[in-house]
Each structure stands twice: as C-alpha cells, then as structure tokens.
Amino acid sequence: FRGRRAREIRIKMVQVLDQVRGYVKRSLGQKCYNTFFEKTQFDVPCAKLALSKLLGLGVVLGASIVRVPQIITILRARKADVSTAMFALDLLSYTITLAYSYANKLPFTVYGETLFMGLQNLLILFLI
C-alpha cells in the first residue's frame, strides 16, 4: 500500500496499539506496567499478576466458543435431544454470577466467561 491508504493503515495500527497499551496498563497497574515495559525489568509479583490476567483472558476467550460445536450440531439436525431444564438452570446460574460479579465491580477477566456461556445457553434454548 502506498500513499493515503498506507497512512490510514498506519493510523489504525497506532490506534489499536494504543488501545492494547491502555488495556495492559489498566490490567497490570502503573507500577507493573512501568517495571515490565519502561524499565524492562522482571518482577515476580508483577509476573504473577500478568500470568493471572493472561489466564483469565484465556478462559474468557475459550468460553466464548465452548458451545459452538453443540450449536452447529443443533442447527444441522434442526432438532435437539437435550434437556431444556438443564440449559435453563445453567443460564440462571450464569445470570446470577454475572449480576453479582458486575455489581461488585470485579474485573471482566474474572467473570467474563459467564457472559459468553450464558449467551450461548440462551441461543441453545431458542434453538431447542
């Protein structure tokens, strides 16, 4: 890409990197962010915090696709031989957990999987 299009792409990339930088800074806190990215030093408590945040994010990302194979199977078969009560109770538990976590201002990486699991269960309930 050359000219104007290349400039637009560079601007978008800078904007995305700024958003990622802001997320990392908010997640790790100013002290750990400075330790890792400005001083480029290793600090065990900061490393534990970073690992915890990464694992939480991995769980959220994994939960966002965990029921996709089941949804695809239901869509292909145009019927489902699953328990409606189980999915309804599952959805209720996710809703309660989500409301509690949000009300207590917990980090999204702590409860984010409940949102995605609940949405997938809701979709399955509509399909069955």
Side-chain angles (χ1 to χ4, degrees):
F1 296 102
R2 292 178 185 233
R4 182 176 171 203
R5 182 72 178 140
R7 258 191 319 272
E8 289 172 358
I9 291 172
R10 278 194 297 274
I11 289 170
K12 281 288 185 195
M13 288 175 58
V14 168
Q15 290 171 343
V16 168
L17 288 173
D18 284 343
Q19 288 177 346
V20 169
R21 188 179 298 117
Y23 174 77
V24 170
K25 197 178 282 190
R26 284 189 306 276
S27 295
L28 295 179
Q30 191 67 45
K31 176 188 172 279
C32 288
Y33 181 85
N34 289 345
T35 300
F36 280 138
F37 298 105
E38 292 179 8
K39 297 178 185 175
T40 61
Q41 296 174 344
F42 184 80
D43 181 60
V44 173
C46 289
K48 288 180 181 180
L49 176 64
L51 181 62
S52 169
K53 296 292 182 177
L54 280 173
L55 289 173
L57 186 60
V59 168
V60 170
L61 292 174
S64 68
I65 61 167
V66 75
R67 295 245 194 244
V68 170
Q70 193 167 16
I71 292 168
I72 291 170
T73 301
I74 292 170
L75 287 170
R76 283 186 181 155
R78 297 187 187 268
K79 65 176 183 158
D81 191 22
V82 294
S83 170
T84 304
M86 188 275 299
F87 281 100
L89 288 173
D90 219 15
L91 179 60
L92 177 64
S93 72
Y94 290 137
T95 303
I96 291 169
T97 302
L98 185 65
Y100 175 83
S101 300
Y102 183 78
N104 285 298
K105 296 180 176 32
L106 297 177
F108 185 72
T109 54
V110 172
Y111 68 89
E113 76 277 1
T114 60
L115 172 65
F116 294 111
M117 293 294 294
L119 289 172
Q120 290 171 80
N121 278 3
L122 184 63
L123 179 58
I124 288 172
L125 281 170
F126 280 123
L127 292 174
I128 56 177

